[in-house]
Amino acid sequence: MKVKGILPGLVTSLVIAIISQGLAQFLPALGAATIAILLGIIGGNTFLKQPQLGRGTKFAESKLLEYSVMLLGATMTVQTIGKIGGFGVLFILCQMTITIVGALWLGRKLGFSQSVRMLMAGGNAVCGSSAIASIAPVIDADEDDKGTVITLVNLMGTVLMLTLPVLGMAVFGGSVILKGALIGGTLQSVGQVVAAASMINQTTVQFATIFKIMRIMMLVVVVLIFGRLHQRTIENELAEDAVVSGNGNGHWLPWYVAGFLILCALNSLISLPAIIGATAHTISSWFEIIALAAIGLRLNLVNFMKAGKRLALYGLGVGTIQVVSALILITLLGRLQI
């Protein structure tokens, strides 16, 4: 009975994901992830607005994103950090810190809840939908907040994906590593990074991907920090040990983030066969696209538009902070590149 209840929504999300993958062949600048969430929003607020899809889309939104995060661990190694040298490590650490602090500060100024602020900060600083999915359970974020932020981050990432290649060529000229740093250190998802860097050349794709992977490897650290910050907030607000200890989500590390860390460590120590990494990457990408389609199907466009002005300001503000800080940091730290 449980499987029967999940199937309609899950199959609908899968069909949208397949269509999105097909359309992405003709619209590579958008990418399958962005197309999936847009098609989901359109369908979910018109002819696919059906209660029987709810259980399946909720399953796809939560569980498939969790598996997607875990499988990412098999696609990277700690040794990757060495390829971008001291400049790359310092740039990514500074860029992520500024993005997180800036997103939290701006969100507070605009009146967003702590949950939305943390999801926005993590999604932009680390790796978009995957980071949001990892952070949501440790801060007790509700599904509406998660869906809203994932939608905003993906839409904002699409805009940056189309503009950063032009900006990078204008500011950094022939320096491939600096253009790769701008794109890989700023864009939210791996797909957006590859699509944007491809507009320049293949070498830029390689460097941009390395910078992006460095950010993804910081996912565990960000989840731990945000989990601890949330726990402190609970302790400060409730102050009663019995209430605090009764919080079911007081854990620091979700199983799929632990799985991500284990797979990354294994790949670093024994170098998993290439076929395993390639398969994990493919499955992870498909799971993410299916989940994004489900998120689109579940998003109430009316409610989203009601907060449209504030959300637009938030997205634009965080995007501006990211791009400006990246340009300044790359200019200042570029002399350290190897």
Side-chain angles (χ1 to χ4, degrees):
M1 289 295 291
K2 186 176 180 181
V3 174
K4 288 183 179 179
I6 290 174
L7 275 179
L10 181 59
V11 171
T12 302
S13 301
L14 174 61
V15 170
I16 292 176
I18 293 171
I19 294 172
S20 301
Q21 288 279 31
L23 290 175
Q25 304 301 313
F26 303 98
L27 299 168
L30 281 180
T34 300
I35 294 173
I37 200 168
L38 290 176
L39 290 180
I41 291 171
I42 294 170
N45 287 273
T46 53
F47 61 95
L48 292 175
K49 195 174 184 179
Q50 300 170 21
Q52 60 264 38
L53 300 179
R55 289 178 62 187
T57 54
K58 184 176 182 179
F59 173 84
E61 175 184 351
S62 58
K63 296 303 179 183
L64 293 189
L65 267 182
E66 291 174 359
Y67 286 116
S68 175
V69 171
M70 182 186 70
L71 290 170
L72 278 177
T75 68
M76 59 193 65
T77 67
V78 175
Q79 288 86 348
T80 301
I81 298 175
K83 295 182 180 179
I84 55 177
F87 156 72
V89 174
L90 189 56
F91 164 63
I92 290 299
L93 292 178
C94 291
Q95 173 74 350
M96 290 182 66
T97 300
I98 292 171
T99 299
I100 290 172
V101 172
L104 294 175
W105 171 81
L106 183 58
R108 182 184 293 275
K109 290 293 182 182
L110 291 173
F112 286 102
S113 66
Q114 184 189 62
S115 173
V116 170
R117 297 198 305 268
M118 285 187 171
L119 293 176
M120 189 71 169
N124 284 284
V126 188
C127 52
S129 306
S130 298
I132 294 169
S134 300
I135 294 166
V138 300
I139 65 171
D140 300 321
D142 62 41
E143 295 298 319
D144 287 341
D145 284 348
K146 187 170 80 169
T148 296
V149 176
I150 283 179
T151 301
L152 179 59
V153 167
N154 275 278
L155 293 177
M156 186 176 70
T158 301
V159 174
L160 290 177
M161 177 181 69
L162 297 173
T163 55
L164 285 182
V166 177
L167 182 61
M169 288 187 286
V171 176
F172 300 119
S175 178
V176 177
I177 190 171
L178 297 187
K179 287 182 287 191
L182 176 65
I183 293 171
T186 306
L187 281 171
Q188 288 81 354
S189 75
V190 175
Q192 290 168 351
V193 168
V194 173
S198 296
M199 297 180 196
I200 301 176
N201 56 46
Q202 193 57 38
T203 307
T204 304
V205 172
Q206 294 172 357
F207 279 111
T209 302
I210 292 172
F211 279 100
K212 179 61 185 176
I213 289 174
M214 171 70 178
R215 289 165 65 196
I216 296 173
M217 293 179 72
M218 296 299 294
L219 174 63
V220 175
V221 177
V222 173
V223 171
L224 289 173
I225 291 173
F226 280 10
R228 185 55 187 157
L229 288 175
H230 177 65
Q231 195 63 22
R232 270 190 196 170
T233 299
I234 294 174
E235 292 167 357
N236 291 337
E237 288 179 351
L238 301 179
E240 299 173 359
D241 292 338
V243 177
V244 173
S245 62
N247 181 348
N249 280 333
H251 55 268
W252 274 19
L253 201 62
W255 68 268
Y256 47 92
V257 179
F260 166 94
L261 192 60
I262 291 169
L263 287 175
C264 181
L266 279 174
N267 200 23
S268 302
L269 292 172
I270 63 176
S271 188
L272 298 172
I275 186 65
I276 293 180
T279 302
H281 179 269
T282 299
I283 296 174
S284 176
S285 297
W286 269 102
F287 279 178
E288 180 180 3
I289 294 166
I290 296 170
L292 290 176
I295 287 168
L297 287 168
R298 294 176 61 80
L299 183 74
N300 187 318
L301 193 57
V302 174
N303 292 339
F304 186 81
M305 294 305 291
K306 283 181 181 177
K309 185 176 180 180
R310 279 198 312 147
L311 282 174
L313 285 174
Y314 198 13
L316 181 62
V318 174
T320 301
I321 290 171
Q322 281 187 286
V323 174
V324 171
S325 63
L327 290 173
I328 293 173
L329 287 170
I330 291 170
T331 301
L332 293 177
L333 300 174
R335 68 190 65 179
L336 298 177
Q337 78 176 84
I338 298 175

